Amino acid sequence: MSDEAAPVFRTVSVLTLLLALLVACGESTEPAPRTTPAPEPSMPDEVQAPFAQVANALIERMIEHSPEWAVYQGRYEGAGRVTIPNAEQRAATLALIDQALAELGEYEPERLDPAERTDLALLENRLRALRWYQEEFRGWAWMPSQYNVAGVINVLLNTDFAPLDERLALIEARLSRVPDYYAAARANLERPTLEHTELAIQQNRGGLASLGEPLEAKLEEAGFDDEARDRFLAELGEARAAIEGWIAHLEGLQAELEASGEARSFRIGAELYEPKFAFDIQADFTAAQLYQRALAEKERVLADMDEIAVGLWPNYFPDVELPEQPRDRIARLIDHLSDRHVTVDEFIPEIRRQIPALADFVREHHLLEQDPDKPLVVRETPEYMRGGGAIASVSAPGPFNPGAETYYNVTPLETYGEELAASYLREYNHWILQILNIHEAIPGHYTQLLHANRSPSLVKSLFGNGAMVEGWAVYAERMMLEAGWGDQEPEMWLMYGKWALRVIHNAILDYAVHVEGMGRDEALRMLQEDAFQEVSEATQKWRRVTLSQVQLTSYFSGYAEIYDFRERQRAALGEGFDLEAFHNQFLSYGSAPVAVIAELMGDSRPSN
């Protein structure tokens, strides 16, 4: 994601599975199960079931437990069921976790092969994270933005996995439970944050819109008889009324919290931040250590940018004396270059134009394997996904339905108003728009997720690590420029430095705000003066840090791990190092944590 948004099929955020299981917000109508029944938990070594069998059986139980998560992964057989996010559901989740950890605890890691050993570690981490999110983090009680029925319904409506009338029947079944869903959501809330309340209002309004004309048009297309049509419309009317009631409840709650000043702070503090970082990022360092590395990397990148700025200065300001301060000359050049950009109307068409050019470059330079039979679809971000603080994102199908469309979601600049749209155009100027497309599309998120869906390990594909996913997209940017994209133009490298500072400041900002209490004014000053961001980007980033925690660190942490690993491999193999082979092998392990992939690829560095 451009730095994130919640995709339709499968988000590249680690929270997808967690939220789906905790609160529960392709071409085949019935995909064949890829497992056999689960064994009893304690069995003697001589009859112990193969680990893969137990792991796959656990996945099947998770699919049964959360039909919403199943839909995002491309499994639709339970799609008509709605998980009601109440206390009974949370108890059932904890019971599933306890049983699963007991079963996995029967396996001694040293007796498994390396691929299975890493699958075991991934499963145990994810299950313990689920428990921590439910019992300690408790976002279900203070993040009303977790509750939105529109996502799954829109996947069912827009994914051609079955005839339209069958998909509408599943949607009708889901609509019938919408009132119960929002009644449970209302009962869950305990002093939410104002920021997540505002987001919930915005996104549920978008969800309400998606359950209007678009859905009714599909109903007409299906050709239901009068009785079936009236029944569907009756369920739809009650569902829409429930969403409207939820929005009204949130608006009233928002007014009360603003008047009383008793809203929960969006800052989670060090007590929650470090364990969340450990569960989500799964790296060999702490959040505090990453913060220190980001501060050091910031100064290194600024020094590189200053060297480029000094060389470029006479080309653009031949009669102007070079400013004394490095930040001043960098800022002056970036400000000047940012005037080169497309118009508002050209923004999305230009993104569409660049995608095939990127694919051709990757193929011609033998950077990694692609799949020309699975084109990327660029579309406007659906309304129910907007408001989270990102202008672009990718929605990818799950491994059970890899043939479904992959969407590159771009929010139309017209929706931001004239002044903000102009600021975004300068932010995503001629050079940075290219870097954005590398990140989101080719060979970034889109390409990585295609490879992930081919992984023989369901565990590594389903339980993707956000730092690896985002880190790969950031790594892809630098790798493409190293390979010659942009013709080694110094202007491109200067703008890449600005983009790199964005990634670095994501990590700095997130930790500084949530742990050290950095305020809005200081954050905006840092982003604009130290990272040379336009006011639009800085303002959106502040909004985003108030709505998420840790995720903003995933870009820098993942990138640093991947780049460091590649350089170790290059040094170890010397002339035998093949970049394309390295990339293909690295991506073949699904979206596993970078440390796990490095171990599987024979990294010689001992793990901490």
Side-chain angles (χ1 to χ4, degrees), residues 225-235:
D225 61 38
D226 289 345
E227 182 181 351
R229 183 177 180 279
D230 289 346
R231 185 176 63 246
F232 187 99
L233 288 175
E235 296 288 6

mmCIF file of all heavy atoms in Angstrom, residues 225-235:
data_model
loop_
_atom_site.group_PDB
_atom_site.id
_atom_site.type_symbol
_atom_site.label_atom_id
_atom_site.label_comp_id
_atom_site.label_asym_id
_atom_site.label_seq_id
_atom_site.Cartn_x
_atom_site.Cartn_y
_atom_site.Cartn_z
ATOM 1 N N ASP A 225 -37.710 -13.126 -9.764
ATOM 2 C CA ASP A 225 -39.152 -12.907 -9.897
ATOM 3 C C ASP A 225 -39.591 -11.916 -8.817
ATOM 4 O O ASP A 225 -38.827 -11.571 -7.914
ATOM 5 C CB ASP A 225 -39.927 -14.218 -9.806
ATOM 6 C CG ASP A 225 -39.740 -14.950 -8.476
ATOM 7 O OD1 ASP A 225 -39.678 -14.290 -7.423
ATOM 8 O OD2 ASP A 225 -39.666 -16.196 -8.491
ATOM 9 N N ASP A 226 -40.839 -11.469 -8.891
ATOM 10 C CA ASP A 226 -41.310 -10.408 -7.992
ATOM 11 C C ASP A 226 -41.190 -10.800 -6.527
ATOM 12 O O ASP A 226 -40.783 -9.991 -5.679
ATOM 13 C CB ASP A 226 -42.765 -10.053 -8.321
ATOM 14 C CG ASP A 226 -42.882 -9.320 -9.652
ATOM 15 O OD1 ASP A 226 -41.828 -8.856 -10.157
ATOM 16 O OD2 ASP A 226 -44.006 -9.214 -10.178
ATOM 17 N N GLU A 227 -41.548 -12.059 -6.231
ATOM 18 C CA GLU A 227 -41.519 -12.493 -4.830
ATOM 19 C C GLU A 227 -40.094 -12.490 -4.285
ATOM 20 O O GLU A 227 -39.830 -11.973 -3.193
ATOM 21 C CB GLU A 227 -42.113 -13.899 -4.715
ATOM 22 C CG GLU A 227 -42.158 -14.406 -3.275
ATOM 23 C CD GLU A 227 -42.728 -15.818 -3.181
ATOM 24 O OE1 GLU A 227 -43.248 -16.330 -4.198
ATOM 25 O OE2 GLU A 227 -42.649 -16.401 -2.074
ATOM 26 N N ALA A 228 -39.164 -13.050 -5.059
ATOM 27 C CA ALA A 228 -37.763 -13.109 -4.609
ATOM 28 C C ALA A 228 -37.170 -11.702 -4.523
ATOM 29 O O ALA A 228 -36.420 -11.384 -3.591
ATOM 30 C CB ALA A 228 -36.948 -13.968 -5.567
ATOM 31 N N ARG A 229 -37.535 -10.875 -5.483
ATOM 32 C CA ARG A 229 -37.019 -9.501 -5.481
ATOM 33 C C ARG A 229 -37.531 -8.739 -4.265
ATOM 34 O O ARG A 229 -36.764 -8.031 -3.592
ATOM 35 C CB ARG A 229 -37.451 -8.804 -6.770
ATOM 36 C CG ARG A 229 -36.914 -7.384 -6.927
ATOM 37 C CD ARG A 229 -37.334 -6.802 -8.276
ATOM 38 N NE ARG A 229 -36.831 -5.446 -8.428
ATOM 39 C CZ ARG A 229 -37.407 -4.375 -7.902
ATOM 40 N NH1 ARG A 229 -38.524 -4.508 -7.194
ATOM 41 N NH2 ARG A 229 -36.885 -3.162 -8.085
ATOM 42 N N ASP A 230 -38.826 -8.871 -3.970
ATOM 43 C CA ASP A 230 -39.395 -8.160 -2.822
ATOM 44 C C ASP A 230 -38.774 -8.643 -1.513
ATOM 45 O O ASP A 230 -38.532 -7.844 -0.600
ATOM 46 C CB ASP A 230 -40.914 -8.364 -2.790
ATOM 47 C CG ASP A 230 -41.622 -7.614 -3.918
ATOM 48 O OD1 ASP A 230 -40.972 -6.742 -4.549
ATOM 49 O OD2 ASP A 230 -42.800 -7.907 -4.179
ATOM 50 N N ARG A 231 -38.524 -9.955 -1.438
ATOM 51 C CA ARG A 231 -37.923 -10.502 -0.215
ATOM 52 C C ARG A 231 -36.509 -9.936 -0.018
ATOM 53 O O ARG A 231 -36.130 -9.552 1.077
ATOM 54 C CB ARG A 231 -37.889 -12.025 -0.288
ATOM 55 C CG ARG A 231 -37.392 -12.695 1.002
ATOM 56 C CD ARG A 231 -37.453 -14.214 0.922
ATOM 57 N NE ARG A 231 -36.565 -14.727 -0.124
ATOM 58 C CZ ARG A 231 -36.999 -15.335 -1.227
ATOM 59 N NH1 ARG A 231 -38.303 -15.506 -1.439
ATOM 60 N NH2 ARG A 231 -36.142 -15.780 -2.123
ATOM 61 N N PHE A 232 -35.756 -9.890 -1.113
ATOM 62 C CA PHE A 232 -34.394 -9.363 -1.037
ATOM 63 C C PHE A 232 -34.419 -7.886 -0.633
ATOM 64 O O PHE A 232 -33.655 -7.453 0.240
ATOM 65 C CB PHE A 232 -33.694 -9.523 -2.397
ATOM 66 C CG PHE A 232 -32.237 -9.164 -2.383
ATOM 67 C CD1 PHE A 232 -31.275 -10.156 -2.293
ATOM 68 C CD2 PHE A 232 -31.813 -7.839 -2.463
ATOM 69 C CE1 PHE A 232 -29.915 -9.837 -2.277
ATOM 70 C CE2 PHE A 232 -30.470 -7.510 -2.445
ATOM 71 C CZ PHE A 232 -29.516 -8.514 -2.351
ATOM 72 N N LEU A 233 -35.305 -7.112 -1.262
ATOM 73 C CA LEU A 233 -35.364 -5.682 -0.967
ATOM 74 C C LEU A 233 -35.802 -5.417 0.472
ATOM 75 O O LEU A 233 -35.375 -4.429 1.089
ATOM 76 C CB LEU A 233 -36.303 -4.986 -1.946
ATOM 77 C CG LEU A 233 -35.778 -4.859 -3.382
ATOM 78 C CD1 LEU A 233 -36.844 -4.266 -4.303
ATOM 79 C CD2 LEU A 233 -34.505 -4.005 -3.422
ATOM 80 N N ALA A 234 -36.644 -6.316 1.008
ATOM 81 C CA ALA A 234 -37.063 -6.160 2.403
ATOM 82 C C ALA A 234 -35.865 -6.350 3.342
ATOM 83 O O ALA A 234 -35.664 -5.574 4.290
ATOM 84 C CB ALA A 234 -38.162 -7.163 2.734
ATOM 85 N N GLU A 235 -35.063 -7.388 3.073
ATOM 86 C CA GLU A 235 -33.854 -7.613 3.884
ATOM 87 C C GLU A 235 -32.884 -6.451 3.723
ATOM 88 O O GLU A 235 -32.261 -6.006 4.695
ATOM 89 C CB GLU A 235 -33.170 -8.921 3.480
ATOM 90 C CG GLU A 235 -33.981 -10.183 3.737
ATOM 91 C CD GLU A 235 -34.086 -10.532 5.215
ATOM 92 O OE1 GLU A 235 -33.627 -9.735 6.062
ATOM 93 O OE2 GLU A 235 -34.631 -11.596 5.528
#
